[in-house]
Amino acid sequence: MPGPTAVSPSGPAALTAGTRGARPDSPGSGTPEPRLAVGLARCSARRERQRFVDKNGRCNVQHGNLGGESSRYLSDFFTTLVDLKWRWNLLIFLLTYTVAWLVMASMWWGIAYLRGDLHQAHGDTYSPCVANVYNFPSAFLFFVETEATIGYGHRYITERCPEGIVLFLFQSLLGSVVDAFLIGCMFIKMSQPKKRAETLMFSRAAVISQRDAKLCLMFRVGNLRNSHMVSAQIRCKLIKSRQTPEGEFLPLDQCELDVGFGTGADQLFLVSPLTICHEINSESPFFCLSQRSLRSEQFEIVVILEGIVETTGMTCQARTSYTEDEVLWGHRFLPVMSLEDGFFRVDYSQFHATFEVPTPPYSVKEQEENLSQSILLNSPFEKKTRREQACPLDCADITGEKNKLPAKLQKISSRKEGLPPRALRMSSSNTEKTSSTGDLLKIQEISPISDGEDSDNRMQLKALKINAKALTQSNSELELQKDFPGMGALEVKLEDNFPAKL
């Protein structure tokens, strides 16, 4: 296994320095700032680790120790042949035709040799199997002329050679099968849309910054061709090793990153460069990721872009990946679209460029915890009863109506609220008698009583409404009752007229 090597300046370290040095307000690239040079040296010091998927989309996985399972490749020989590299395909193509031609030419030469056509002169007195075939080269030329349907007319099969007729039929069938197999394999390999993925671009780095007041992981995709990708869809996978609570170690565990599956944002209209966004929330694997923890994390984000090539109708897939070294915290992509005279122009020279933006260095989890703590510290602690939480509006209306009552009735209501229902039944009615008719009418106006009111309060108000007429005497008459003791009997009579509860 090769030892660890330092990252070259053309790797992620140079990328980080280049993207950080490109500011929207700085003309040209220029010389990187000193703090950027420090970041470059720090990134260069980090050792490069093995990728699961290369930047060009090639998967670094090799299958070994197959044992008897290798025979499965021969069961699907056509797919195996298509999956081979071009140099092996061309070698198989040439060897197949060369061997087939040599074998068939040897068979024609063998027929001529067995019949004795090679040692006799071909004239009117002697009729050979194949005219003008005297040796192996002439037999080979006859086969090539027959297979390629050239037909020069100098060499031909005579009707007195039945074995030659049978061999000619076998040659025609075998040649058709070989042509269909090899030419079909070459055609499918040439028409594969793998090269179409070369014109689909991904940004060299991914960024983390705020968008719409939410922390997001973003990267950019683009299409260099004018032909569109039909039904383009993008997916993201997080490749990271982890250990389960049961102690099981999962190497290169794959986790899905939501890039808008629920909202349809993963369906792309890829006619101009687009910025793909993954919102970091409580359901995201990066919920606890902060700027400090990013330096010690080890993960890989695999991006898969799929679509149908508009010109051929074949499905194309483009892939790339981002390691933790290629994720820039607190950066944003530069805009590449500009409006020209009658069209929109895309400047691909700024496709990979980013610039720094103010971004909190904390994770989303830490931000939510800090926000909840600040809310608890700033808001006063209020105790609310169950009735106040159930009907706050009704309780507020009743409280307002109580404040509008005269002072005498406010004392009565407060006294009733402070006593239990049984004590309210036993309360004296002398204070109630002192209320005027206008006060009782105000009590009648408080009709929208909430469902949380006690049934005893309702009965008391109902009794007051029924006996309002008996209590319509003025304050002057009540004073006369106090001055003359003979009025006590009248009070007793009035109290006898009240219902049992009052």
Side-chain angles (χ1 to χ4, degrees):
M1 186 173 181
T5 56
V7 180
S8 61
S10 60
L15 166 66
T16 306
T19 53
R20 288 183 178 177
R23 297 293 300 269
D25 52 352
S26 62
S29 58
T31 304
E33 301 176 2
R35 58 186 180 89
L36 299 181
V38 174
L40 176 61
R42 185 184 298 117
C43 293
S44 300
R46 300 190 63 173
R47 296 180 178 179
E48 183 181 5
R49 64 179 181 85
Q50 183 63 48
R51 285 178 174 269
F52 187 69
V53 178
D54 287 338
K55 297 296 287 184
N56 58 2
R58 186 177 63 89
C59 299
N60 293 319
V61 178
Q62 293 184 1
H63 303 282
N65 297 327
L66 297 177
E69 302 297 332
S70 301
S71 60
R72 295 177 179 266
Y73 289 103
L74 298 178
S75 61
D76 190 10
F77 184 72
F78 185 79
T79 305
T80 304
L81 201 60
V82 173
D83 289 340
L84 292 176
K85 295 183 179 180
W86 269 108
R87 54 179 176 267
W88 298 111
N89 278 106
L90 294 176
L91 179 61
I92 292 174
F93 185 85
L94 295 175
L95 288 178
T96 302
Y97 275 107
T98 303
V99 171
W101 291 348
L102 291 175
V103 170
M104 294 303 301
S106 300
M107 295 177 71
W108 286 110
W109 178 83
I111 291 176
Y113 177 80
L114 294 176
R115 288 176 57 91
D117 298 340
L118 302 179
H119 306 287
Q120 295 184 11
H122 299 173
D124 297 336
T125 59
Y126 181 77
S127 179
C129 182
V130 180
N132 300 319
V133 173
Y134 302 102
N135 47 28
F136 183 79
S138 60
F140 182 80
L141 290 175
F142 169 72
F143 166 76
V144 173
E145 292 175 9
T146 305
E147 180 65 24
T149 65
I150 297 175
Y152 291 116
H154 184 64
R155 299 176 181 89
Y156 55 91
I157 300 175
T158 61
E159 67 277 3
R160 297 181 181 180
C161 183
E163 60 273 18
I165 297 174
V166 174
L167 182 60
F168 174 75
L169 295 176
F170 176 75
Q171 172 187 331
S172 300
L173 295 176
L174 181 63
S176 300
V177 171
V178 172
D179 290 342
F181 188 83
L182 292 180
I183 295 176
C185 177
M186 299 295 290
F187 175 78
I188 291 177
K189 192 167 184 64
M190 286 188 297
S191 60
Q192 278 185 332
K194 290 184 178 180
K195 293 302 179 182
R196 177 64 175 90
E198 299 293 334
T199 55
L200 296 175
M201 293 182 61
F202 296 92
S203 59
R204 297 193 188 100
V207 299
I208 294 180
S209 60
Q210 286 189 331
R211 172 181 283 189
D212 298 330
K214 298 177 182 178
L215 196 65
C216 299
L217 170 71
M218 293 173 285
F219 56 91
R220 180 178 280 176
V221 297
N223 182 17
L224 297 179
R225 290 188 180 273
N226 292 327
S227 59
H228 300 167
M229 292 290 295
V230 182
S231 301
Q233 183 179 10
I234 194 162
R235 295 183 293 118
C236 291
K237 293 284 187 180
L238 176 64
I239 310 296
K240 183 179 180 181
S241 301
R242 68 182 183 91
Q243 189 172 6
T244 62
E246 295 79 13
E248 180 185 4
F249 180 72
L250 301 177
L252 302 177
D253 184 46
Q254 299 185 12
C255 178
E256 188 77 18
L257 293 180
D258 186 13
V259 288
F261 178 76
T263 60
D266 59 333
Q267 304 291 332
L268 307 181
F269 183 55
L270 197 58
V271 296
S272 62
L274 299 177
T275 301
I276 310 302
C277 178
H278 165 67
E279 179 184 345
I280 302 178
N281 50 26
S282 58
E283 298 180 358
S284 172
F286 298 128
F287 182 59
C288 301
L289 183 67
S290 63
Q291 186 176 8
R292 177 176 296 179
S293 63
L294 180 62
R295 303 172 185 173
S296 59
E297 287 286 342
Q298 286 191 358
F299 60 84
E300 186 172 350
I301 303 171
V302 179
V303 182
I304 305 171
L305 176 61
E306 294 178 340
I308 300 174
V309 182
E310 187 179 29
T311 54
T312 61
M314 303 183 70
T315 303
C316 174
Q317 185 181 93
R319 297 181 296 267
T320 191
S321 68
Y322 301 100
T323 59
E324 67 278 357
D325 296 333
E326 298 169 346
V327 178
L328 307 179
W329 189 283
H331 282 243
R332 186 180 298 165
F333 288 106
L334 283 173
V336 295
M337 294 287 294
S338 61
L339 179 61
E340 301 293 339
D341 187 10
F343 61 93
F344 292 94
R345 183 180 182 85
V346 180
D347 184 11
Y348 279 99
S349 63
Q350 303 293 333
F351 183 82
H352 305 285
T354 63
F355 63 96
E356 295 184 2
V357 292
T359 304
Y362 308 105
S363 64
V364 178
K365 181 180 180 181
E366 295 173 348
Q367 294 180 22
E368 291 182 357
E369 291 177 352
N370 295 336
L371 181 61
S372 61
Q373 291 177 2
S374 62
I375 291 176
L376 291 176
L377 292 176
N378 295 332
S379 61
F381 184 76
E382 298 177 357
K383 293 184 178 180
K384 295 185 178 180
T385 62
R386 185 176 300 176
R387 189 179 72 180
E388 291 175 347
Q389 295 177 358
C391 51
L393 294 178
D394 295 340
C395 295
D397 294 340
I398 294 173
T399 306
E401 294 293 341
K402 287 183 179 180
N403 294 333
K404 294 180 182 178
L405 293 176
K408 295 180 179 180
L409 290 180
Q410 290 181 12
K411 293 179 180 180
I412 294 173
S413 62
S414 62
R415 190 176 302 165
K416 288 181 179 180
E417 291 175 357
L419 295 175
R422 187 172 181 180
L424 287 173
R425 298 191 192 102
M426 301 298 295
S427 63
S428 174
S429 61
N430 293 333
T431 309
E432 296 174 354
K433 294 177 184 179
T434 60
S435 61
S436 62
T437 306
D439 298 337
L440 293 173
L441 292 177
K442 288 185 178 181
I443 295 177
Q444 295 178 11
E445 292 176 358
I446 310 175
S447 56
I449 302 177
S450 62
D451 297 337
E453 293 281 353
D454 297 332
S455 60
D456 295 335
N457 295 336
R458 295 181 179 178
M459 294 300 297
Q460 292 168 12
L461 291 176
K462 186 176 181 181
L464 289 175
K465 293 177 184 178
I466 295 174
N467 298 278
K469 188 175 180 180
L471 299 177
T472 55
Q473 49 190 349
S474 61
N475 294 330
S476 60
E477 293 175 352
L478 294 175
E479 292 176 359
L480 290 174
Q481 291 176 9
K482 293 179 181 179
D483 295 335
F484 299 96
M487 298 300 293
L490 180 60
E491 293 178 2
V492 174
K493 293 179 181 180
L494 290 175
E495 289 178 358
D496 295 336
N497 294 331
F498 282 111
K501 289 187 176 183
L502 290 180

PDB file of all heavy atoms in Angstrom, residues 6 30 85 97 208 315 346 359 410 412 446:
ATOM      1  N   ALA A   6       2.098  14.134   0.350  1.00  0.00           N
ATOM      2  CA  ALA A   6       1.571  15.477   0.563  1.00  0.00           C
ATOM      3  C   ALA A   6       0.768  15.918  -0.642  1.00  0.00           C
ATOM      4  O   ALA A   6       1.024  15.515  -1.765  1.00  0.00           O
ATOM      5  CB  ALA A   6       2.712  16.459   0.831  1.00  0.00           C
ATOM      6  N   GLY A  30      -4.506  38.407  -8.619  1.00  0.00           N
ATOM      7  CA  GLY A  30      -3.528  39.043  -7.754  1.00  0.00           C
ATOM      8  C   GLY A  30      -2.770  38.047  -6.895  1.00  0.00           C
ATOM      9  O   GLY A  30      -2.852  36.846  -7.051  1.00  0.00           O
ATOM     10  N   LYS A  85     -12.135  -1.738 -21.813  1.00  0.00           N
ATOM     11  CA  LYS A  85     -11.563  -0.506 -22.331  1.00  0.00           C
ATOM     12  C   LYS A  85     -11.394  -0.608 -23.851  1.00  0.00           C
ATOM     13  O   LYS A  85     -11.401  -1.696 -24.427  1.00  0.00           O
ATOM     14  CB  LYS A  85     -10.218  -0.227 -21.662  1.00  0.00           C
ATOM     15  CG  LYS A  85     -10.348   0.051 -20.176  1.00  0.00           C
ATOM     16  CD  LYS A  85      -9.006   0.390 -19.551  1.00  0.00           C
ATOM     17  CE  LYS A  85      -9.161   0.698 -18.073  1.00  0.00           C
ATOM     18  NZ  LYS A  85      -7.866   1.040 -17.431  1.00  0.00           N
ATOM     19  N   TYR A  97     -11.594 -11.323 -36.222  1.00  0.00           N
ATOM     20  CA  TYR A  97     -11.671 -11.387 -37.675  1.00  0.00           C
ATOM     21  C   TYR A  97     -10.454 -12.099 -38.271  1.00  0.00           C
ATOM     22  O   TYR A  97     -10.570 -12.882 -39.231  1.00  0.00           O
ATOM     23  CB  TYR A  97     -11.790  -9.986 -38.264  1.00  0.00           C
ATOM     24  CG  TYR A  97     -13.217  -9.493 -38.298  1.00  0.00           C
ATOM     25  CD1 TYR A  97     -13.658  -8.509 -37.409  1.00  0.00           C
ATOM     26  CD2 TYR A  97     -14.122 -10.014 -39.216  1.00  0.00           C
ATOM     27  CE1 TYR A  97     -14.953  -8.066 -37.440  1.00  0.00           C
ATOM     28  CE2 TYR A  97     -15.434  -9.564 -39.255  1.00  0.00           C
ATOM     29  CZ  TYR A  97     -15.836  -8.594 -38.364  1.00  0.00           C
ATOM     30  OH  TYR A  97     -17.145  -8.158 -38.394  1.00  0.00           O
ATOM     31  N   ILE A 208     -20.294  26.373   2.496  1.00  0.00           N
ATOM     32  CA  ILE A 208     -21.295  26.403   3.559  1.00  0.00           C
ATOM     33  C   ILE A 208     -21.487  27.849   3.967  1.00  0.00           C
ATOM     34  O   ILE A 208     -20.529  28.510   4.393  1.00  0.00           O
ATOM     35  CB  ILE A 208     -20.867  25.545   4.771  1.00  0.00           C
ATOM     36  CG1 ILE A 208     -20.824  24.072   4.400  1.00  0.00           C
ATOM     37  CG2 ILE A 208     -21.829  25.756   5.938  1.00  0.00           C
ATOM     38  CD1 ILE A 208     -20.403  23.172   5.550  1.00  0.00           C
ATOM     39  N   THR A 315     -29.654   7.607 -21.543  1.00  0.00           N
ATOM     40  CA  THR A 315     -29.479   8.127 -20.192  1.00  0.00           C
ATOM     41  C   THR A 315     -27.994   8.358 -19.904  1.00  0.00           C
ATOM     42  O   THR A 315     -27.160   7.497 -20.164  1.00  0.00           O
ATOM     43  CB  THR A 315     -30.068   7.161 -19.158  1.00  0.00           C
ATOM     44  OG1 THR A 315     -31.439   6.932 -19.454  1.00  0.00           O
ATOM     45  CG2 THR A 315     -29.957   7.732 -17.760  1.00  0.00           C
ATOM     46  N   VAL A 346     -23.293  33.567 -19.962  1.00  0.00           N
ATOM     47  CA  VAL A 346     -22.716  32.820 -18.843  1.00  0.00           C
ATOM     48  C   VAL A 346     -21.207  32.932 -18.918  1.00  0.00           C
ATOM     49  O   VAL A 346     -20.599  32.567 -19.935  1.00  0.00           O
ATOM     50  CB  VAL A 346     -23.149  31.347 -18.875  1.00  0.00           C
ATOM     51  CG1 VAL A 346     -22.530  30.601 -17.693  1.00  0.00           C
ATOM     52  CG2 VAL A 346     -24.666  31.227 -18.845  1.00  0.00           C
ATOM     53  N   THR A 359     -20.476  34.359   8.272  1.00  0.00           N
ATOM     54  CA  THR A 359     -21.217  33.136   8.591  1.00  0.00           C
ATOM     55  C   THR A 359     -20.904  32.742  10.022  1.00  0.00           C
ATOM     56  O   THR A 359     -19.731  32.738  10.417  1.00  0.00           O
ATOM     57  CB  THR A 359     -20.826  31.993   7.639  1.00  0.00           C
ATOM     58  OG1 THR A 359     -21.033  32.411   6.287  1.00  0.00           O
ATOM     59  CG2 THR A 359     -21.663  30.752   7.900  1.00  0.00           C
ATOM     60  N   GLN A 410     -67.439  45.771  41.896  1.00  0.00           N
ATOM     61  CA  GLN A 410     -66.121  45.158  41.835  1.00  0.00           C
ATOM     62  C   GLN A 410     -65.764  44.506  43.161  1.00  0.00           C
ATOM     63  O   GLN A 410     -65.159  43.432  43.205  1.00  0.00           O
ATOM     64  CB  GLN A 410     -65.064  46.200  41.479  1.00  0.00           C
ATOM     65  CG  GLN A 410     -65.174  46.701  40.032  1.00  0.00           C
ATOM     66  CD  GLN A 410     -64.098  47.700  39.705  1.00  0.00           C
ATOM     67  OE1 GLN A 410     -63.153  47.844  40.474  1.00  0.00           O
ATOM     68  NE2 GLN A 410     -64.250  48.371  38.574  1.00  0.00           N
ATOM     69  N   ILE A 412     -67.952  43.316  45.252  1.00  0.00           N
ATOM     70  CA  ILE A 412     -68.798  42.125  45.381  1.00  0.00           C
ATOM     71  C   ILE A 412     -68.206  40.974  44.588  1.00  0.00           C
ATOM     72  O   ILE A 412     -68.115  39.840  45.063  1.00  0.00           O
ATOM     73  CB  ILE A 412     -70.227  42.440  44.898  1.00  0.00           C
ATOM     74  CG1 ILE A 412     -70.865  43.468  45.838  1.00  0.00           C
ATOM     75  CG2 ILE A 412     -71.084  41.184  44.855  1.00  0.00           C
ATOM     76  CD1 ILE A 412     -72.205  43.968  45.349  1.00  0.00           C
ATOM     77  N   ILE A 446     -72.904  41.541  30.649  1.00  0.00           N
ATOM     78  CA  ILE A 446     -71.784  40.591  30.575  1.00  0.00           C
ATOM     79  C   ILE A 446     -72.357  39.239  30.195  1.00  0.00           C
ATOM     80  O   ILE A 446     -72.480  38.332  30.993  1.00  0.00           O
ATOM     81  CB  ILE A 446     -71.023  40.530  31.909  1.00  0.00           C
ATOM     82  CG1 ILE A 446     -70.654  41.925  32.404  1.00  0.00           C
ATOM     83  CG2 ILE A 446     -69.761  39.702  31.762  1.00  0.00           C
ATOM     84  CD1 ILE A 446     -70.004  41.920  33.767  1.00  0.00           C
TER      85      ILE A 446
END
